[in-house]
Amino acid sequence: MKVIKVKDQLEGAQIAFDILKEKIENGAKTLGLATGSTPIELYRKMVASDLDFKDMYSVNLDEYVGLSKENPQSYYQFMKEHLFDTKPFKESFLPDGMTNDIESHTKEYDAILEKYPVDLQILGIGNNGHIGFNEPGTALNSKTHLVDLQDKTIQANSRFFEKESDVPRQAISMGIASILKAETIILMAYGKAKADAIAKTVNGPVTKEVPASVLQNHQDAYVIVDEDAASLL
Ligand code: GLP
């Protein structure tokens, strides 16, 4: 795991963008994408760039259960707004939060990941160390699955909703094993609220209690952090 300390989110986004550009120049076909505030500057750089994703595929980490594609808080809408509307991919996959057969849907999503192996996975991190929506305690060999969100996550994500009770209690997320299959992984973290999770991710034991710590076992993972997120390293 390579830890890169940056001044701020803009510098972090530039470094992530340069890695992404090089991966594409070297033939990357599929990007694994994340939502949340962390990757927004990276997506801005992708939008402003001359890169073209029309021959590429994207697979997103997760989606809230119970939010339709039209819901402004859905991750589908987030991706449309921040990337896909201006830079469409040949095909973009996100879990379907409205599926009425979660079991088959998660299997289908695993099949998509088999068909389109992720060349570069973008990750943020939850304050509790989650990646995607894999909360502490998730099995390290997990594939796509239904997640019960923890209170800390519901609270943290409530800033995107009118009130906390509007935050969905469940999500569908790629599993930890699925994420680790990506050839290259970039995790970005900015701000003090991430400092404890980053310290445990980088220096702690590899444990399912800190899902991001599994990146220590990945052969090509970058952790890009600003000074606040790196403050407990
Ligand atoms: C959500 C997403 C994660 C994201 C995390 C952090 O829980 N499922 O993929 O990394 O939020 O969000 P933010 O980047 O806004 O801090």
Side-chain angles (χ1 to χ4, degrees), residues 2-233:
K2 290 160 271 233
V3 178
I4 303 176
K5 291 185 191 169
V6 294
K7 189 165 84 268
D8 53 24
Q9 188 168 359
L10 270 183
E11 192 187 333
Q14 185 61 51
I15 291 173
F17 178 79
D18 291 343
I19 297 169
L20 179 139
K21 193 166 178 212
E22 199 186 322
K23 289 289 295 182
I24 294 174
E25 281 163 4
N26 288 323
K29 278 275 165 241
T30 303
L31 300 181
L33 299 176
T35 50
S37 47
T38 303
I40 286 180
E41 288 300 334
L42 169 63
Y43 296 155
R44 275 205 187 113
K45 288 200 185 294
M46 290 165 73
V47 164
S49 75
D50 54 10
L51 291 181
D52 181 8
F53 306 108
K54 285 208 187 75
D55 290 328
M56 294 183 63
Y57 299 90
S58 72
V59 190
N60 258 77
L61 286 168
D62 46 17
E63 179 60 282
Y64 286 115
V65 166
L67 298 194
S68 70
K69 284 180 170 181
E70 290 74 36
N71 190 305
Q73 259 77 39
S74 70
Y75 284 165
Y76 179 85
Q77 283 296 325
F78 176 99
M79 291 310 302
K80 253 173 76 67
E81 180 190 336
H82 291 283
L83 189 62
F84 298 157
D85 274 351
T86 24
K87 290 280 186 182
F89 285 65
K90 186 166 185 183
E91 216 168 342
S92 284
F93 302 97
L94 277 99
D96 176 6
M98 295 300 279
T99 179
N100 46 26
D101 186 350
I102 299 237
E103 188 67 25
S104 333
H105 184 59
T106 53
K107 291 213 168 71
E108 276 162 33
Y109 212 69
D110 286 334
I112 289 168
L113 286 163
E114 292 285 325
K115 187 167 175 198
Y116 304 102
V118 173
D119 296 294
L120 173 64
Q121 177 67 54
I122 303 301
L123 289 180
I125 184 170
N127 299 349
N128 61 2
H130 76 226
I131 47 176
F133 263 135
N134 294 289
E135 297 282 35
T138 304
L140 299 184
N141 63 358
S142 50
K143 292 183 162 184
T144 308
H145 61 126
L146 176 68
V147 177
D148 290 322
L149 300 177
Q150 295 185 358
D151 290 345
K152 213 172 165 181
T153 301
I154 292 169
Q155 226 171 25
N157 289 3
S158 64
R159 67 188 195 281
F160 297 110
F161 294 80
E162 219 171 276
K163 46 187 191 313
E164 199 173 304
S165 56
D166 290 345
V167 186
R169 269 37 189 175
Q170 291 185 311
I172 298 170
S173 179
M174 272 190 208
I176 293 178
S178 336
I179 293 172
L180 280 183
K181 276 197 180 156
E183 190 176 74
T184 300
I185 299 179
I186 302 176
L187 182 146
M188 292 178 281
Y190 307 113
K192 269 248 148 45
K194 304 286 170 74
D196 181 54
I198 286 298
K200 289 176 176 154
T201 296
V202 175
N203 294 328
V206 175
T207 162
K208 64 181 182 170
E209 298 317 321
V210 184
S213 66
V214 299
L215 298 186
Q216 290 179 31
N217 292 339
H218 193 274
Q219 76 292 347
D220 195 26
Y222 298 85
V223 175
I224 299 177
V225 278
D226 69 0
E227 282 167 19
D228 282 341
S231 58
L232 297 177
L233 285 181

